[in-house]
Amino acid sequence: MSTIDINTLLEEKSEDFKLELLLGTGGLSKKITVREINRPGLALTGFFEHFPYERIQIIGTSEYTYLKYLGYDVQVKMLNKIFSHENAVCCILTKGLESTDAMMKVFSDLDIPLLRTNLSFSSFISDLIYYLDIKLAPSIKIHGVMTSVYGLGILIVGKSAIGKSECALELVKRGHKLVADDIINIRKCSGQTLVGSSMEISKNLIEVRGIGIINIKDLFGIGNILDESLIELVIRLEEWDPLKKYERIGIDEYYTEFFNVKIPEITIPIAPGRNIAGIVETASLNQRLKKKGYSTVRDLRARLQKEISRNSL
């Protein structure tokens, strides 16, 4: 399970999120484990059933006004109830709100981080959720090549030395973009979205047997690289097997699955004389047509039916 601590949040986003630490320096190592956040509205009234203690608690103007209405002793009681829990992470005040005396006592006593942002609640929440969605998304690492061809994210897989990197290099020479070579980090973001990216150590690099490691950014320019891309098609390269029946019409559809998300997959057999990069380009364009609702097979069937009907008259 992916996690980050409060200190990482501050290091990476204090400037963007206008965040400052008010109290609780001893709790900066506390782990954020979930992408969701929470507004402790009902909890401040004393209702704690199903309360998500493990989430970052956000206090906006409404919660803040109600807290001040409660008075010091009740504030301390309610805040202690929320943040003394073993899974409590931190609290963030929005819109530059000042901490109350009760907050000063509770967060100092518990050593739980109390942070503040000058951003409004709505703008801060959307940015924070997006950040957590990226940092805490479940992820795996696989061997392959990730490219963007005509704007479509393509993951190229196959056994070692089958020609994945060489195919990617040819695609780059044709003006397409390299995302990652060798080790691909795949993470599942919100909904059914899969995103592929490179490991930091091999970013912009590609290995070509006979030449070695080359830097795509230096050789071809920044326009030929992407930090990450949606995974929208998987292309599997394999050696041509004369005994195997390969897809010739495209009636059957195949999928690869990551994190219970199905991604369309096609298999391209490798043989001398085959222009693999050109086939990948064609597959990309064909997949884009499918996403827009057009099917060549369906169109062919309609033509055949029309011809059969005409000949039967």
Side-chain angles (χ1 to χ4, degrees):
M1 180 178 65
S2 299
T3 65
I4 61 169
D5 55 34
I6 306 300
N7 193 53
T8 300
L9 171 64
L10 285 170
E11 286 180 350
E12 295 185 352
K13 287 296 179 179
S14 59
E15 183 175 348
D16 293 340
F17 292 169
K18 314 299 180 188
L19 279 174
E20 59 176 321
L21 178 66
L22 301 179
L23 295 164
T25 55
L28 292 178
S29 61
K30 281 188 166 292
K31 301 294 185 182
I32 304 171
T33 60
V34 295
R35 293 175 280 178
E36 297 80 8
I37 56 90
N38 186 61
R39 299 182 70 172
L42 279 175
L44 298 179
T45 69
F47 185 81
F48 287 93
E49 188 172 353
H50 305 301
F51 186 80
Y53 294 97
E54 72 282 0
R55 299 183 184 182
I56 293 177
Q57 306 296 325
I58 309 294
I59 292 181
T61 304
S62 299
E63 293 84 2
Y64 185 80
T65 303
Y66 182 73
L67 266 174
K68 296 192 71 174
Y69 168 79
L70 293 177
Y72 178 82
D73 290 338
V74 182
Q75 281 187 53
V76 170
K77 178 182 177 181
M78 294 305 173
L79 290 172
N80 261 316
K81 177 68 174 177
I82 295 172
F83 295 102
S84 63
H85 194 277
E86 62 180 356
N87 293 330
V89 179
C90 73
C91 180
I92 302 178
L93 297 170
T94 60
K95 214 171 182 178
L97 296 170
E98 295 289 338
S99 60
T100 66
D101 291 340
M103 290 179 185
M104 296 287 288
K105 173 175 174 52
V106 171
F107 289 101
S108 295
D109 290 348
L110 297 176
D111 215 7
I112 294 288
L114 175 64
L115 293 79
R116 178 172 62 193
T117 175
N118 290 326
L119 299 178
S120 66
F121 180 87
S122 56
S123 61
F124 173 65
I125 289 303
S126 59
D127 290 342
L128 178 60
I129 291 176
Y130 179 75
Y131 169 75
L132 293 178
D133 193 43
I134 293 175
K135 299 295 288 189
L136 301 180
S139 64
I140 58 172
K141 294 176 176 59
I142 70 167
H143 178 69
V145 172
M146 185 76 204
T147 61
S148 176
V149 181
Y150 296 125
L152 190 84
I154 296 180
L155 175 62
I156 304 174
V157 297
K159 70 178 185 179
S160 182
I162 194 68
K164 300 183 296 296
S165 297
E166 288 79 1
C167 177
L169 179 60
E170 179 60 28
L171 288 169
V172 168
K173 290 175 63 178
R174 292 169 180 239
H176 305 295
K177 304 180 189 301
L178 174 74
V179 179
D181 179 59
D182 193 28
I183 302 298
I184 315 299
N185 184 55
I186 298 176
R187 69 177 190 274
K188 181 184 179 183
C189 297
S190 298
Q192 299 295 296
T193 302
L194 296 178
V195 176
S197 59
S198 172
M199 302 294 292
E200 190 63 33
I201 194 170
S202 58
K203 192 174 182 179
N204 306 333
L205 304 180
I206 190 169
E207 177 191 350
V208 181
R209 282 176 172 80
I211 298 178
I213 305 296
I214 61 174
N215 190 311
I216 295 298
K217 180 181 176 182
D218 291 345
L219 285 179
F220 297 96
I222 196 169
N224 287 94
I225 59 170
L226 280 178
D227 288 339
E228 62 182 30
S229 173
L230 296 178
I231 300 176
E232 299 168 276
L233 178 64
V234 175
I235 292 182
R236 185 173 300 278
L237 302 183
E238 66 175 45
E239 294 179 358
W240 188 292
D241 183 354
L243 300 179
K244 182 176 179 178
K245 291 184 178 180
Y246 293 101
E247 189 65 48
R248 298 187 63 182
I249 299 177
I251 295 177
D252 297 324
E253 294 186 344
Y254 303 91
Y255 297 89
T256 291
E257 193 170 295
F258 301 105
F259 301 111
N260 296 319
V261 178
K262 291 184 176 180
I263 303 296
E265 177 188 309
I266 62 173
T267 297
I268 298 178
I270 304 296
R274 299 204 85 195
N275 184 348
I276 303 303
I279 295 174
V280 171
E281 286 181 322
T282 303
S284 173
L285 292 173
N286 191 51
Q287 183 61 30
R288 291 184 64 181
L289 282 176
K290 286 182 177 181
K291 292 181 67 175
K292 292 181 179 297
Y294 174 78
S295 171
T296 305
V297 174
R298 188 171 59 243
D299 182 54
L300 176 59
R301 283 174 173 168
R303 293 185 192 182
L304 290 172
Q305 188 60 48
K306 184 178 180 180
E307 185 67 18
I308 291 171
S309 298
R310 187 178 66 83
N311 291 334
S312 63
L313 296 177

